[in-house]
Amino acid sequence: MTEVLVSDVNLNTVCERLEQHCCVADQQQNNQQQLQQPQTPSAIKRHTNTGAKLWGRVRSKLLRQKLDPQTVQSKNWHMDVIEMNGIKVEFSMKFTSRDLSLKRTPSKKQSGVFGVKISVVTKRERSKVPYIVRQCIEEVEKRGIDEVGIYRISGVATDIQALKAAFDTNSKDILVMLSDMDINAIAGTLKLYFRELPEPLLTDRLYPAFMEGIALSDPAAKENCMMHLLRSLPDPNLITFLSLLEHLKRVADNEPINKMSLHNLGTVFGPTLLRPSESEVTKGHITLATDIWSHDVMAQVQVLLYYLQHPPISFAELKRNTLYFSTDV
């Protein structure tokens, strides 16, 4: 049985996983039938299409449930079974509103890394970039740079939670776990780390300015504004962001193989690194984060895409320009 937690953010990923399961089950069924008795070409063709048709039914069912107000409002798991030609998909699902899924809850324990301010982590580690970010990036670049859909395809939730616990407890087995773990779980752990920061990497304070800056039509004015905003970030946030930026560019360099373009990566990471704070939602007189998220999501993607498409940005150069500005004033 496959248990699925469905939201607008991960519905496509859920569907992809179900499609893979259907195709695998379909192939297994065909292999068994071919061993048992010879089949006519028409029978083989009919069974070959079973997985695709079953996948279509599952996807249609998920989308119908997603649009059903009664199902969406329910907090209970919804059970369902879809069967075709001996292949059965049994799944349970429930819906979580986006305002809950986007809410950041700071960790009560300051000894870990998840849910802890990035400045606290880097100070404790005496590092410029959190250890978890460095290690996940290193592992992805070592053996995941050619993985199709890297960062887009979800890893197994239990693997991600195991890695999260290992990093939070500073386990001595982290490096062994990283080398043995499925690469999508490692990519998922990195995304989870940024998602669970007490505030987004690009900070709550600068969110409105990023939204205004990316909307500027004059290229020179936009360049000045977007670079100034980077200079305004705390050093741990800025250095970590620049490290992630260069990593994502290297991933996109392999787009012909991994199918992950700069735009795809911007879509995956933009709303994670940059999103409105609860006070911003209140200020805008919007009661649900879903509304402001829908309104701003494209702008969030465009902000990250702007930096991804920008020539290499140097921390030292940014700080040098800060000194120039302060001297000129």
Side-chain angles (χ1 to χ4, degrees):
M1 184 179 77
T2 301
E3 287 196 352
V4 182
L5 178 62
V6 180
S7 70
D8 288 346
V9 177
N10 65 8
L11 180 60
N12 290 334
T13 301
V14 169
C15 291
E16 287 170 2
R17 287 169 56 194
L18 287 173
E19 182 178 18
Q20 292 170 1
H21 290 320
C22 289
C23 292
V24 169
D26 193 22
Q27 185 62 48
Q28 290 174 344
Q29 184 196 49
N30 285 338
N31 292 341
Q32 291 173 355
Q33 290 175 340
Q34 287 172 7
L35 288 173
Q36 291 171 359
Q37 59 182 7
Q39 291 182 301
T40 64
S42 60
I44 294 175
K45 183 177 180 181
R46 183 174 65 255
H47 287 301
T48 302
N49 292 332
T50 299
K53 291 180 179 178
L54 182 57
W55 139 244
R57 289 188 182 182
V58 172
R59 187 174 188 278
S60 176
K61 184 74 173 180
L62 284 171
L63 290 172
R64 283 202 304 273
Q65 294 293 343
K66 172 174 173 285
L67 296 174
D68 180 6
Q70 186 174 354
T71 303
V72 172
Q73 291 172 7
S74 173
K75 296 181 179 180
N76 300 322
W77 284 92
H78 174 77
M79 309 293 294
D80 217 326
V81 178
I82 296 180
E83 187 172 4
M84 180 185 291
N85 291 342
I87 301 176
K88 181 170 68 172
V89 176
E90 181 179 348
F91 56 94
S92 57
M93 58 184 173
K94 67 178 177 179
F95 295 82
T96 303
S97 62
R98 185 175 275 130
D99 55 321
L100 293 177
S101 66
L102 295 185
K103 189 174 181 179
R104 295 170 184 260
T105 305
S107 174
K108 294 180 180 179
K109 297 181 179 179
Q110 293 297 298
S111 57
V113 294
F114 282 82
V116 180
K117 289 183 179 180
I118 195 168
S119 58
V120 173
V121 173
T122 52
K123 184 176 181 180
R124 185 206 309 143
E125 295 177 349
R126 297 181 181 179
S127 63
K128 295 182 177 179
V129 177
Y131 178 72
I132 181 175
V133 176
R134 301 197 314 271
Q135 290 305 128
C136 288
I137 285 178
E138 181 180 325
E139 198 64 34
V140 169
E141 294 194 359
K142 186 188 300 181
R143 57 188 181 91
I145 206 80
D146 293 336
E147 184 79 13
V148 175
I150 188 69
Y151 287 121
R152 181 177 59 82
I153 295 178
S154 299
V156 177
T158 52
D159 289 345
I160 294 174
Q161 290 303 313
L163 282 171
K164 175 183 177 180
F167 277 110
D168 266 340
T169 57
N170 196 24
S171 171
K172 61 184 179 185
D173 299 325
I174 287 177
L175 294 180
V176 175
M177 291 178 66
L178 285 171
S179 62
D180 292 342
M181 200 72 75
D182 174 67
I183 199 62
N184 288 312
I186 295 171
T189 302
L190 181 62
K191 291 190 294 182
L192 182 65
Y193 169 72
F194 286 119
R195 192 159 60 244
E196 291 195 358
L197 284 173
E199 71 168 351
L201 187 64
L202 299 185
T203 73
D204 291 330
R205 179 176 63 87
L206 294 176
Y207 180 81
F210 275 112
M211 294 296 97
E212 293 172 7
I214 199 62
L216 293 173
S217 56
D218 180 74
K222 179 181 287 189
E223 167 78 8
N224 289 334
C225 179
M226 299 302 277
M227 292 303 109
H228 173 69
L229 288 172
L230 287 188
R231 286 190 291 270
S232 303
L233 288 169
D235 282 359
N237 299 59
L238 175 56
I239 298 173
T240 300
F241 178 67
L242 294 179
S243 298
L244 178 64
L245 208 59
E246 292 309 307
H247 166 62
L248 295 179
K249 289 181 180 181
R250 289 190 289 271
V251 171
D253 286 341
N254 277 37
E255 180 190 352
I257 301 173
N258 60 36
K259 310 303 180 187
M260 292 302 290
S261 64
L262 290 176
H263 189 274
N264 287 342
L265 292 166
T267 301
V268 170
F269 278 92
T272 297
L273 304 178
L274 187 74
R275 63 177 65 168
S277 65
E278 292 183 17
S279 60
E280 193 65 29
V281 173
T282 305
K283 236 190 295 182
H285 305 293
I286 299 174
T287 56
L288 291 176
T290 50
D291 298 330
I292 195 167
W293 192 95
S294 300
H295 181 265
D296 285 357
V297 65
M298 290 309 299
Q300 295 160 9
V301 172
Q302 288 303 314
V303 167
L304 182 55
L305 189 59
Y306 179 87
Y307 292 122
L308 286 171
Q309 294 173 335
H310 196 279
I313 303 169
S314 162
F315 175 78
E317 186 66 25
L318 282 171
K319 289 303 177 180
R320 195 176 302 124
N321 288 339
T322 301
L323 181 61
Y324 290 157
F325 284 138
S326 62
T327 304
D328 292 340
V329 173

